[in-house]
Amino acid sequence: MIAALKQAVKARWPRLRLRTILFASLFFVAALPGFGAIFLRVYENTLVRQTEAELVAQGAALAAAAQIVWPGAGPPMPPDPGQVRPEPPSIDLNSTPILPERTPPAPIAHAPAASSVQAAKRLLPVLAATRQTTLASIILLDGAGNILIGPGTAGSYAALPEVRSALAGQSATVLRRNGDYRQVYRFEWLSRAAAIRVHHARPVIVDGRVVGVLLLSRSARALFKGLYEDRGKIAFGILVIFGILVVLSGVLSRGIARPIEALSVATRAVSAGGGAMPAVPPTAAIEIQGLYVDFAAMAQAIDRRSRYLRDFAHAVSHEFKTPLAGIRGALELLRDHAGAMSNAERDRFLTNADADAERLTLLVSRLLELARADMSQAAAPAETRLAPIVAKIADAERAPGFDIVMGDPGTLAVAAPADTIEAVLAALIDNSRQAGAATVTIDIAAAGDTIAITISDNGPGIAEPDRARIFEPFFTTRRSRGGTGLGLPIVRSLLQAHGGAIERVEQEDGTAFRVTLPRADP
């Protein structure tokens, strides 16, 4: 099943660039600390807002109870069920200012009203029971801000901003420093809410008049205690992040590491002279897939060049063996029988040895030309107009009994140097002359991005068995007349160095070759 799933994923794997894979991986890893910090800040802010919501709920319930039991209050009217007035959280750790610790109550200017004292006695059991369950500090103030129920001595909190807001009929929530805070958890210093308390002031309104204020406060739930309580969810999130990292590691491995390792193994195998090129991995990055293709082309070129050098060395040894054997035989005969030879015989042996030496010299010269042609590279983009070059070659090669007919190339230009074109045309025209042709025709035509130069003659043509071998080094039908069989290989190498090619063209009489070269940009 896993193998089938892998095959299905490989078949549908998108082609990704290496930079895309690296950017996505590094961006994700770099963002992880930020995500963690944001998560903790958001989570802690949620805990503080949750504390505010709990205080708001407690204050709303206690204020409703106070409205019922307050002396002189009319019968309560049930609210309209369709009028929903939720109070969203109003504090935020990032923007809400943290006020100093609540100051001690100020001395009271006037004694609380008798109705307020009576209401406090009725509410005292309710507030005490609520405090035992919610652990919140609950203080009841009268309409002037004086303390009716609360810890400590009597006094007034009318100067506190949240109390002033509640006395004006508007609920208010603030954040204040907690003077009694003591560190409990080892890393609690990382928490911003550990040393603060949430204070909520809520008015008690009876018959449209603020008769009292409920002042509630409580510390927010500790961050690390909350983390411990939500440890299952947090562990799941950590496992998800690690899972994503494992997946990304697998993507990097399949997209970069493993293909490069396989290519490295193939490189060592090719350098050792064996081994097959591995297939292009479908999950590899586009650049690495291109590297596989380029490496395969390079390996094929190396193998082709290796076979070419082996065959070339064999041909060279064969070509050099005959004249060397002739020279060596002539020297042995002259050394052993020089006294018994006539002058005519001695001259004949020396002439044969000289002819063999001349052939060796010609072979060496042509081999040097072939080597230079094989190693030549286009140093810079060239642009050569064909009209003057073809006219120059035609004028130089014409002779009595040998004519050259050329078409008008107009303004056509090729992307190759002039000396290369001259060498190619001169070699092909010389082959036609040596083959016995009386007329050579040069036709030039443009075909898209290339220019085709066709050189045809009216000679005897090339025999059918020899047509497939005319571009092989050292193959010649004029060996007795000094032919080396290197002319056409040199021409082909010169053309290949500049992006050109040569091929034989079928025609009824004579011989024809088509030379193609890239067209120069206008």
Side-chain angles (χ1 to χ4, degrees):
M1 180 178 178
I2 296 178
L5 181 60
K6 287 183 177 180
Q7 293 298 326
V9 171
K10 288 181 180 180
R12 295 168 176 81
W13 189 266
R15 300 185 68 203
L16 300 175
R17 291 194 175 275
L18 180 59
R19 67 184 66 180
T20 304
I21 297 175
L22 293 178
F23 176 80
S25 302
L26 295 178
F27 177 82
F28 182 82
V29 173
L32 284 179
F35 290 152
I38 292 174
F39 164 76
L40 288 178
R41 287 183 176 272
V42 171
Y43 183 70
E44 186 176 38
N45 195 47
T46 301
L47 293 178
V48 174
R49 288 191 165 197
Q50 180 182 350
T51 302
E52 179 191 7
E54 293 173 357
L55 293 178
V56 169
Q58 293 177 42
L62 293 176
Q67 291 174 0
I68 296 175
V69 302
W70 205 273
M77 296 295 294
D80 186 0
Q83 293 183 355
V84 179
R85 293 180 295 175
E87 295 185 20
S90 61
I91 58 175
D92 191 319
L93 284 177
N94 297 318
S95 58
T96 303
I98 299 177
L99 303 179
E101 184 181 4
R102 188 166 63 190
T103 58
I108 60 175
H110 302 284
S115 60
S116 299
V117 175
Q118 185 180 359
K121 292 180 179 180
R122 294 177 179 178
L123 288 172
L124 180 60
V126 177
L127 300 184
T130 304
R131 187 185 302 113
Q132 287 181 343
T133 303
T134 62
L135 304 180
S137 171
I138 305 175
I139 299 176
L140 178 63
L141 308 177
D142 64 6
N146 300 320
I147 299 176
L148 297 174
I149 299 175
T153 61
S156 175
Y157 280 129
L160 298 178
E162 60 270 29
V163 174
R164 290 200 305 268
S165 178
L167 291 175
Q170 185 66 39
S171 300
T173 304
V174 297
L175 298 177
R176 290 187 176 277
R177 299 285 180 188
N178 184 7
D180 297 331
Y181 165 73
R182 298 294 183 270
Q183 181 173 328
V184 177
Y185 303 99
R186 178 176 300 177
F187 296 100
E188 202 165 3
W189 58 271
L190 295 173
S191 172
R192 297 174 299 166
I196 65 175
R197 284 179 70 88
V198 183
H199 292 253
H200 177 70
R202 190 169 197 90
V204 179
I205 302 175
V206 176
D207 297 330
R209 182 172 60 90
V210 176
V211 296
V213 173
L214 283 166
L215 185 59
L216 302 94
S217 66
R218 203 188 75 181
S219 298
R221 189 162 58 130
L223 173 64
F224 291 95
K225 184 178 180 180
L227 291 177
Y228 178 77
E229 293 175 353
D230 293 335
R231 59 188 180 276
K233 300 176 183 178
I234 297 173
F236 176 75
I238 293 175
L239 290 177
V240 170
I241 291 177
F242 274 105
I244 294 175
L245 288 177
V246 170
V247 172
L248 286 178
S249 300
V251 171
L252 289 174
S253 175
R254 288 189 172 275
I256 301 175
R258 292 176 62 177
I260 292 179
E261 291 175 357
L263 191 60
S264 177
V265 173
T267 302
R268 291 192 292 269
V270 170
S271 63
M277 182 63 194
V280 179
T283 57
I286 294 176
E287 291 83 354
I288 295 182
Q289 291 183 3
L291 184 62
Y292 266 73
V293 174
D294 294 339
F295 184 83
M298 182 191 69
Q300 292 176 359
I302 291 175
D303 183 65
R304 184 169 57 252
R305 177 63 66 175
S306 176
R307 291 196 303 269
Y308 171 80
L309 291 175
R310 182 180 64 248
D311 298 340
F312 188 81
H314 177 75
V316 167
S317 64
H318 176 75
E319 290 295 325
F320 275 56
K321 184 184 300 183
T322 301
L324 284 174
I327 293 174
R328 183 174 182 180
L331 292 176
E332 289 178 354
L333 288 173
L334 289 172
R335 183 185 60 191
D336 296 338
H337 306 286
M341 288 184 182
S342 63
N343 291 334
E345 291 175 336
R346 190 165 36 251
D347 290 341
R348 179 164 56 85
F349 284 121
L350 290 174
T351 300
N352 291 338
D354 183 66
D356 289 334
E358 183 178 356
R359 176 166 178 77
L360 284 175
T361 302
L362 180 60
L363 284 172
V364 170
S365 176
R366 299 295 277 172
L367 285 173
L368 290 175
E369 293 178 9
L370 179 60
R372 283 194 293 267
D374 280 338
M375 298 301 295
S376 63
Q377 297 291 333
E383 181 177 346
T384 304
R385 291 186 60 185
L386 291 175
I389 300 298
V390 176
K392 176 182 176 182
I393 293 296
D395 292 340
E397 298 292 340
R398 283 192 181 99
F402 186 76
D403 189 21
I404 297 178
V405 179
M406 57 174 286
D408 182 13
T411 60
L412 294 179
V414 294
D419 55 353
T420 297
I421 302 171
E422 292 180 7
V424 170
L425 293 178
L428 294 176
I429 293 173
D430 185 62
N431 282 352
S432 297
R433 179 191 293 109
Q434 294 183 18
T439 303
V440 173
T441 303
I442 302 177
D443 293 321
I444 303 174
D449 295 334
T450 62
I451 292 179
I453 306 174
T454 303
I455 301 95
S456 58
D457 61 40
N458 60 350
I462 302 174
E464 180 67 29
D466 299 334
R467 293 176 182 176
R469 303 184 59 194
I470 56 177
F471 290 105
E472 293 182 8
F474 304 108
F475 175 77
T476 178
T477 58
R478 305 193 309 273
R479 190 176 303 276
S480 60
R481 289 174 286 174
T484 60
L486 294 175
L488 287 178
I490 292 174
V491 167
R492 182 175 59 181
S493 296
L494 285 174
L495 292 172
Q496 288 177 347
H498 299 283
I502 182 173
E503 61 179 344
R504 188 183 64 84
V505 180
E506 293 287 348
Q507 67 176 22
E508 294 182 0
D509 299 322
T511 303
F513 290 95
R514 180 183 293 115
V515 173
T516 56
L517 283 166
R519 187 173 183 175
D521 293 334

